[in-house]
Amino acid sequence: MSTYQEFIQQNEDRDGVRFSWNLWPSSRLEATRLVVPVSCLFTPLKERPNLPPVQYEPVLCSRATCKAVLNPLCQVDFRAKIWACNFCFQRNPFPPSYAGISEVNQPAELMPQFSTIEYIVQRGPPTPLIFMYVVDTCLEEEDLQALKESLQMSLSLLPPNALVGLITFGRMVQLHELSSEGIAKSYVFRGNKDLSSKHVQELLGLTKPAAAAQQGRPAAPQEAAAFCKFLQPVHRVDMNLTDLLGELQRDPWPVPQGKRPLRSTGVALSVAVSLLEGTFPNTGARLMLFVGGPPTHGPGMVVGDELKTPIRSWHDIQKDNARHLKKATKFYEGLANRSAGNGHCIDIYACALDQTGLLEMKCLSNLTGGHIVMGDSFNTSLFKQTFQRVFSKDYNNDFRMAFGGVLEVKVQEPLSPWIRPGKPKCNPRSVHSPQCVLCWQEMGVGGTNQWKLCGLGPSTTLGMYFEVVNQHNAPVPQGGRGAIQFVTQYQHSNTHRRIRVTTIARNWADANSQIQHIESSFDQEAAAVLMARLGVFRAESEEGPDVLRWLDRQLIRLFMFHLRRSPFLQVFNNSPDESSYYRHHFVRQDLTQSLIMIQPILYSYSFHGPPEPVLLDSSSILPDRILLMDTFFQLVIFHGETIAQWRKAGYQEMAEYENFKQLLQAPLDDAQEILQTRFPMPRYVDTEHGGSQARFLLSKVNPSQTHNNLYAWGQESGAPILTDDVSLQVFMDHLKKLAVSSST
Amino acid sequence: MNVNQHTPMASPYGQPQPGYGQPNYAPLDGGYPASYAPYNGPASAYQPGVPPQGKTLLPDQLLGPPTSAPPPVSAPQQYNQYSHSPADMQNGPPPMTQAPPRPAGSQPYGLGGGQPSYPQHYAPPPTMQQVTNQMGGMQLTSGPPTPAGLGYAPPHSSQPPISTSYQSAPQPSFTQAPPPASSAPTQPPPPNAPAASQQYYRGPPPPPHSIPPPSCAPAPPVSQSQQPFSTPQPHFSSAPPPVSQPGFPSGPPPPAQGSFPPQPTPSSSQPGSVPPPGPPPTSVTSGQYPTPIQHQQQPPDSQPSPYHSGPPPPRFQMPPTVNHLPPGPQSPPGPQGPLQQPPSPQTGYPPQQNGAFGQTRSPQAGYPGPYPVQPNYGAPAPAPAPAAPAQKRLDPDAIPSPQAPDMPAVQKSRHRIDPDAIPSPIQVIEDDKAKTNEPFVTGVRGQAPPLVTTSFHVRDQGNASPRFVRCTAYNMPCTADMAKQSQVPLAAVIKPLATLPPDENPPYMVDHGEGGPIRCNRCKAYMCPYMQFIEGGRRFQCSFCNCVTDVPPHYFQHLDHTGKRVDCYDRPELSLGSYEFLATVDYCKNNKLPQPPAFIFLIDVSYNAVKSGMVSIVCHELKSLLDHLPRENPEVDSVVRVGFVTYNKVLHFYNVKASLAQPQMLVVSDVSDMFVPLLDGFLVNVNESRQVIESLLDQIPEMFADTRETETVFGPVIQAGLEALKAADCAGKLFVFHTSLPIAEAPGKLKNREDKKLIGTDKEKSLFQPQVGFYNNLAKECVAQGCCVDLFLFPNQYVDVATLGVVPVSTGGSVYKYTYFQAQTDQERFLNDLRRDLQKHVGFDAVMRVRTSTGIRATDFFGSFYMSNTTDVELAGLDCDKAITVEFKHDDKLSEETGALMQCAVLYTSCSGQRRLRIHNMAVNCCSQLADLYRNCETDTIINYFSKYAFRGVLSNPTKAVRDTLVNQCAQILACYRKNCASPSSAGQLILPECMKLLPVYLNCVLKSDVLLPGADVSLDDRAYLKQLISCMDVADTHVFFYPRLLPVMKLESGSLPVAVRNSEERLSKGGVYLMETGLHLFLWVGASVQQELLLNLFGTPSFSQIDSSMINLPVLDNPFSQRLREIIDSFRAQRSRYMKLVVVKQEDRTELIFRHFLVEDKSASGGASYVDFLCHMHKEIRQLLS
């Protein structure tokens, strides 16, 4: 038998699943004792180049409450053409099309290697993808120009039959009609008036055709025409839209001295959501919001237009001094829920030097599975390339994005998706449709076994926490296997609907007799990420210090040291927007990326040998080294003091110092590689010893040498960090003391 | 006949007037007897004229043989009042000397009712003119028509000698020349003025001033007779009187004519219609009179009796007047009874023509000399025959068959009042024209300017030009009691930005530097010529509030020995009546210099608008119009920015920023809460964005060509414009092109509430009130922003102008209405209106304040504006055509010494964005004698005031009550005059002040207007439209609106216009062509038997039936006649602020109904009284008041 390491790796490769425990405790009590809950990281759309989708529909368990999909773990009676559901034990006959089934002629879904299988659903007409651009025009000319170019470029990346729409906003919100010829036409909404969805549709004349439809069939084409005014196939309006974008001017309202431009982001989003809601509910749509500043106007406003009142900081929030915070958050949550309900996802591309209100708006993306990208300017490669990467394609030349996903988790009796004891972040929509909770969720939103994933990509990873409900006195029989089935229905970017089914099984283990096994089945990395996610989730809703204390109580691990210092938990020195941004990405990236986020990777380049990973410690900062740090969000190349001097002296230009040149080049190449694949593109920093940008590095490393422990000063190794933070050494010492004392 | 008569009369008058007046006077002076005797004919006319002060209404006269009797009496009485010696009557005035003058005045009275009045005019004309209605008497007397004639004579008899003489003279004239002369006499009034020049009269008649009273007096007579036509004044100066007199005496009747002939020439213009009359005019009048007079005049002595006997019955014809008659009855009660019965026969008169004839004659006779007149009346029967012929001669073509009428007339012996015998507007107008041949100098306080119908040059010497300010009275009563007693409204019509003719200087610009204009410390009046500098020039005393203010050092200047500043004539603000100050930043909103204004075009693109062609017309026109935005310096491009919006149920804004390749449309469908979607790019400079704008205007019609949207909004449209201006922080003007009732769901949504059943009920007023309060609030906001709204309506049905017009009216904008707009026929009118409206001189964000000297106070304001307090008139926009009528009330006593001062200051933003103050100063006299008040009134202005007052009244009162109020006030004015100023006379006489003798006729026009008395075919919208239109009209506009100009255009001369005829069907000749101008419409009436040649010249077609009555422009034909007529039409159009579409009306054609509506002296289809009837009614009212 292979090691757990291999098993884990194999599982991850095949199914995109990593469990914190690969053996499950057999009762609730035992599970509780394990501290780290039974949980997993699941990447629903993990790229599987070797997994061709099958062209038929899945076979479902006939029990109405189960509807599990036929899978390799099911017991099959080939003669009777009957299969038993391994979740509810219902015996189901095979459908007629499976008449030819036999032990040698098994359908793919019964083969063990197809524990993950993808079906293409042929039902219904394919619905085109929809892209709605929501563009802020209160930008600097340069920024706007860059943004315009990016948008124009993106048109060429869209599938030709995709529908596009354009909304621009500043003080007013303009919904552009794309079908018009001659004069460019747009519908305008005032930026400070919250409009109900119905009202918006009335104003746009979208409801009228519906009324007419009652009278007769002829209305149907009109209806189509009505929304076609705003959403047009790319191939038809390519030129129009390019021109339109080209002529896009800055918001025509003058901005008085000492004021911020009025930005009606809230209404713009509201209109966009309403439009899509009225025209293409439950169809995959991507709503892309480009903002260059905080909403300052109307509902959803985050800060007033007076420049003298700065945008809220953590300090303000803690002091309950952020006037607009609650109102705005509520507004955006409302929008997010509506949007999620319709299966539309919202991306936020925020590029500004100051905050843009991501804190309030994050739920838009968080609940709908959209991206958040934060940058300093639209005129940076960070934005441009990240945006381009949104439209990247996979090996099949399909977009790496999927829409309108619904993830359903089916478990065997003793296990149930974890229900958080606290208040759920959003109420289950069971009122509306008992079958599913219409929320995108990474974790923490429970009480259901169905979640809506309006937008998802190959790297989208969910954390799922399970609870063993068996009572201690009625444990699961030894040697039994538990199974979990993930059923993900989604709209593929080629417009077809697909269903991906992943069924996995783990053994139940008795804590008393098999403690060793359980221990060895522990997946440290997965657990770390899962716990970190849990921590982040709590951090978002609870006071920071409490969360830290909770984490400290829960886990003592090396990475926790860095996690404690990370922006995911620490808000010091971070704006609320940045925190939101970091957290957003942390809870949706896969395990590897998550680990990088928790504990940045540090590579050292020198003449002494090949690049080597070094400790994320101030002692690693040496004059004759070049360091490459990857924190996921930043990519920092740090030239040691000596190297920097050499570089300044221009040695790399001299032929005899060719090796120096190569040394300089090496980290650049490596960085480039990372930049190529990372989404969102990290901030790329090239700095040197004493450079202002060096702070990115210095803030991450373990401050083993600081101005406080002067004895180390002037020593040969490392560089002191000016901080009051405790070093890892101190932290560990303290922990050890705590561990001993508390355990007694 | 009437027509003819009138025309001739008028013409003669016009010309003769001056002369006449003078001559008359002269005669008066000289020797009434003599002159009269000879004059009779003319004299008679004169007499009426002479009496100018008191006109006698012939109508009554007819009836009033008795009156006739009274006339004599009255005459004397009047004289008494005015002048001591009755004999002088006419002369009296001329005699000016003193005694004579009065007599003159009195004479007229005595002479006859109305006719005498004319004479009066001559003599004491101006102020005193009184028309004595023998009406009452007449009517009463109606009984015996013939006698009446006699009666008339009697009046003459009153002045036995004179009358006789008159008679003699008149008679001949009658025979020869038609009554016109009589009318002519009226004109004479001016001369009278001269004659009147005697202190009293002088005032009124401008000419007098120039000419020494005495000389005038003499001259007048002569001139009147003939010279007057040519040049009155000269006559005056000369010694016309004697001549005239001689003339008169010599060949009074025939000779007179002979002499007249010369005059005729002048009249010749009219001659066309009344060839013979021409010469006769004067003579005619006299002639007419004469005839009657002759026949009866002498009898006149006996007249009284005659009246009773004969006249009465005919007078009854007056039926309408009958009522009046009753009063008259007094004198001839007996007769009346019988007479009244006869009335029915009189009804026969109805064919006023006939009646007219009879009456006319009589009246005319009356005019000539009420004296004769009366006889005429009495005589009608007898005289008629002779008179008739004369008339016939006059109006050979006249529709009414001359002879027939004559006969009937005679038979009827109707009492009909001769329309020619009652004060004729044409006569007055022509008189005024004739006497005005010098520039009007404004320096003299309390001087009444020439009438609005007269073209004259103004020299500003300290008071505002009448083009800017006109007052109802130039001699205000000193006390509130007096004012109340007289009931004469004290008001001024101010047109602050009036356009001046090219030969007059626009107000000078004064810059007082950073401190801003120098003002009184207390009342804040601006520096003006009335300020008294004291203490060597270191301080000045405000003449409004008497407060003393220091002169700022930079403004200091030494005084000369008269106490005037040395630099007085270097500074406009010290020497002129009108000038402008450059305002400083303190005078600006928010203490910020204003931005240049903006024009926003809001075009309805609903189905109706597109279909009617309006949209494409507007768009097409705007392309070229945008080059003509208002600017102050023609060399520079206008700084006015423009913006465009189209709308139906939703609004479409356009981004026309110069940097765009194509315009962009921004649709705002959220009309419930209007806003402007963009700023930069919405309001643009035309030159910079020309390409984009043109592209836009090209595309708009295409874009909406297939629209199916029929619903529109309106409130949000204005809101949109308003918001745009707010956003741009500037003032401006919205041009809204709208078609239909805004029924789409939006603020300001309206319902169709037109309900004909309400008309005439107490609820009628609600139809004039806005349907919803929304627009009032909107208007308020507009005014606050300086957003003026001009509304162009193209309705096919009810659009509720009363409500839609609220904003335009409150913001100083205009409403234009093109009902059933069709591109083909209405395009020209619309485009011309649009062009003019767009290009005219306009100010924005204006505030007007009228300051007055202690004692009076501006209490009420009428016009298109908004007032948030009681003193400041706020005008979002103020253009050169808008006038504001301001009413003053006493709050203390005024002093005769200082007079009353008023200063109208208008703070506005010019079209170039400059903040300015325009100041108009006006000083008027004050009087402690009512007579002075009545002598210095201006009827046109009073009518302007009355109409605005009444039209506003319909908002809160039933129209009937409004009409009654008007009639009542008018009656009180006249009764007060009669009671306090006119010489005692028979109650049966209607005596009108010279200055107000047209008050009844004009007032009747107001009462008959569609607003107050709608016909069945007049829509509520039309009424509301007219109502708001009138509210901002100036005096000239209201004048022509209420009393349209009707020109006979059978013969045209270059350089001068034909003399107008009165607005009565009787005046139209079947063989004639007439041009009528109402200020809104232009009609060309073509008689059924017009000569081929004329038709050829005019239409290029020889046959009447081939005339295409749908033509909107006369064919361009290459003949002098056609050219000249088109020239005239063009010049008319140029005079009015709105383009008048030409309607060709063929006699007997359907369209004639519309045309007839404007014949305001006739009965109207909607029940409005004819002039004559109304006069009788008025007379009755007055008598009731007096008794």
Side-chain angles (χ1 to χ4, degrees), chain A residues 174 184-186 188 203 249, chain B residues 655 657 665-667 669 676:
Chain A
Q174 275 176 263
K185 212 169 156 183
S186 60
V188 187
L203 294 179
Q249 38 173 352
Chain B
N655 183 347
K657 197 173 178 177
M665 176 201 263
L666 302 171
V667 183
S669 44
V676 179

Side-chain angles (χ1 to χ4, degrees), chain B residues 3 11 313 565 582 629 888:
Chain B
V3 175
S11 64
R565 278 172 63 118
L582 203 56
L629 294 174
F888 300 99

Side-chain angles (χ1 to χ4, degrees), chain A residues 173-225:
Chain A
V173 177
Q174 275 176 263
L175 170 57
H176 295 266
E177 189 174 299
L178 302 180
S179 61
S180 62
E181 292 169 6
I183 290 184
K185 212 169 156 183
S186 60
Y187 281 67
V188 187
F189 301 84
R190 75 189 295 166
N192 55 1
K193 186 176 177 187
D194 194 13
L195 299 164
S196 72
S197 169
K198 191 167 161 249
H199 197 178
V200 170
Q201 288 162 29
E202 273 172 15
L203 294 179
L204 295 178
L206 297 180
T207 51
K208 213 173 182 181
Q214 297 170 349
Q215 298 169 353
R217 291 174 189 171
Q222 280 182 10
E223 189 175 3

Side-chain angles (χ1 to χ4, degrees), chain B residues 142-441:
Chain B
S142 64
T146 47
L150 297 177
Y152 290 140
H156 300 292
S157 70
S158 67
Q159 301 171 352
I162 300 173
S163 65
T164 56
S165 63
Y166 278 85
Q167 293 173 352
S168 66
Q171 293 174 353
S173 64
F174 273 94
T175 54
Q176 300 172 347
S182 68
S183 61
T186 54
Q187 300 171 344
N192 296 338
S197 62
Q198 296 174 353
Q199 302 168 348
Y200 293 91
Y201 303 105
R202 284 183 184 176
H209 297 291
S210 60
I211 306 164
S215 66
C216 294
V222 179
S223 63
Q224 288 178 350
S225 60
Q226 306 170 345
Q227 298 174 351
F229 294 95
S230 58
T231 52
Q233 295 180 348
H235 296 294
F236 290 125
S237 62
S238 63
V243 179
S244 65
Q245 291 176 352
F248 288 106
S250 66
Q257 298 174 349
S259 62
F260 293 104
Q263 303 172 346
T265 54
S267 63
S268 65
S269 61
Q270 301 171 342
S273 57
V274 191
T282 46
S283 65
V284 172
T285 55
S286 61
Q288 295 176 343
Y289 293 114
T291 55
I293 296 171
Q294 290 176 351
H295 298 288
Q296 305 171 348
Q297 282 182 351
Q298 293 180 349
D301 298 356
S302 62
Q303 290 173 358
S305 63
Y307 279 90
H308 301 294
S309 62
R315 290 151 198 171
F316 278 88
Q317 299 171 348
M318 308 314 295
T321 60
V322 171
N323 299 334
H324 309 290
L325 300 180
Q330 301 169 349
S331 54
Q336 292 179 350
L339 295 178
Q340 291 178 349
Q341 296 172 346
S344 59
Q346 296 172 354
T347 55
Y349 286 75
Q352 297 178 349
Q353 301 172 348
N354 301 338
F357 290 75
Q359 297 173 350
T360 54
R361 297 169 188 172
S362 61
Q364 294 171 352
Y367 279 82
Y371 340 63
V373 175
Q374 295 170 351
N376 293 340
Y377 292 123
Q391 294 175 349
K392 291 177 185 177
R393 297 169 190 171
L394 295 175
D395 315 347
D397 302 352
I399 302 169
S401 65
Q403 295 179 347
D406 296 351
M407 292 312 290
V410 177
Q411 297 171 348
K412 296 167 187 173
S413 68
R414 304 191 173 177
H415 331 317
R416 264 210 176 178
I417 299 172
D418 178 356
D420 284 341
I422 54 184
S424 155
I426 305 302
Q427 185 64 51
V428 173
I429 291 168
E430 292 301 324
D431 284 352
D432 190 72
K433 279 184 186 164
K435 78 178 182 192
T436 305
N437 50 11
E438 278 194 1
F440 177 71
V441 178

Side-chain angles (χ1 to χ4, degrees), chain A residues 647-698:
Chain A
R647 189 169 66 157
K648 204 173 280 172
Y651 284 105
Q652 71 273 25
E653 303 298 334
M654 302 176 195
E656 60 268 43
Y657 294 104
E658 177 70 23
N659 59 339
F660 179 57
K661 190 177 180 185
Q662 284 169 357
L663 179 64
L664 286 178
Q665 191 58 40
L668 294 182
D669 291 343
D670 289 351
Q672 206 53 46
E673 202 173 316
I674 297 173
L675 289 174
Q676 293 291 337
T677 54
R678 177 75 48 81
F679 177 92
M681 206 172 85
R683 177 191 294 270
Y684 174 66
V685 178
D686 188 343
T687 186
E688 60 186 21
H689 183 81
S692 69
Q693 305 282 306
R695 62 194 157 87
F696 285 106
L697 172 65
L698 299 185

Side-chain angles (χ1 to χ4, degrees), chain B residues 560-706:
Chain B
D560 66 10
H561 63 283
T562 60
K564 271 185 167 176
R565 278 172 63 118
V566 180
D567 63 350
C568 173
Y569 292 103
D570 299 335
R571 291 188 176 270
E573 75 273 23
L574 296 180
S575 55
L576 297 182
S578 303
Y579 43 89
E580 288 197 328
F581 284 119
L582 203 56
T584 61
V585 79
D586 296 336
Y587 293 80
C588 303
K589 213 180 257 175
N590 305 328
N591 279 343
K592 224 168 39 178
L593 285 178
Q595 302 272 336
F599 282 2
I600 302 178
F601 300 90
L602 305 120
I603 306 166
D604 182 350
V605 289
S606 64
Y607 178 74
N608 283 336
V610 173
K611 195 175 153 225
S612 70
M614 182 273 277
V615 174
S616 55
I617 291 173
V618 171
C619 291
H620 184 262
E621 182 65 18
L622 281 182
K623 278 196 279 184
S624 53
L625 261 188
L626 291 178
D627 290 330
H628 299 98
L629 294 174
R631 66 197 81 182
E632 285 177 297
N633 181 350
E635 308 296 316
V636 183
D637 285 334
S638 175
V639 294
V640 174
R641 288 172 297 167
V642 296
F644 302 87
V645 174
T646 58
Y647 66 94
N648 39 47
K649 216 166 60 177
V650 298
L651 277 78
H652 319 113
F653 293 78
Y654 294 93
N655 183 347
V656 285
K657 197 173 178 177
S659 59
L660 296 176
Q662 276 284 312
Q664 294 177 348
M665 176 201 263
L666 302 171
V667 183
V668 172
S669 44
D670 184 8
V671 292
S672 62
D673 189 7
M674 203 56 217
F675 61 93
V676 179
L678 79 172
L679 182 59
D680 183 25
F682 179 62
L683 293 179
V684 295
N685 181 296
V686 175
N687 283 332
E688 288 169 9
S689 295
R690 182 172 304 278
Q691 295 277 329
V692 192
I693 291 176
E694 292 198 348
S695 160
L696 170 67
L697 293 173
D698 281 337
Q699 291 187 59
I700 287 179
E702 289 171 27
M703 270 192 291
F704 298 100
D706 302 325

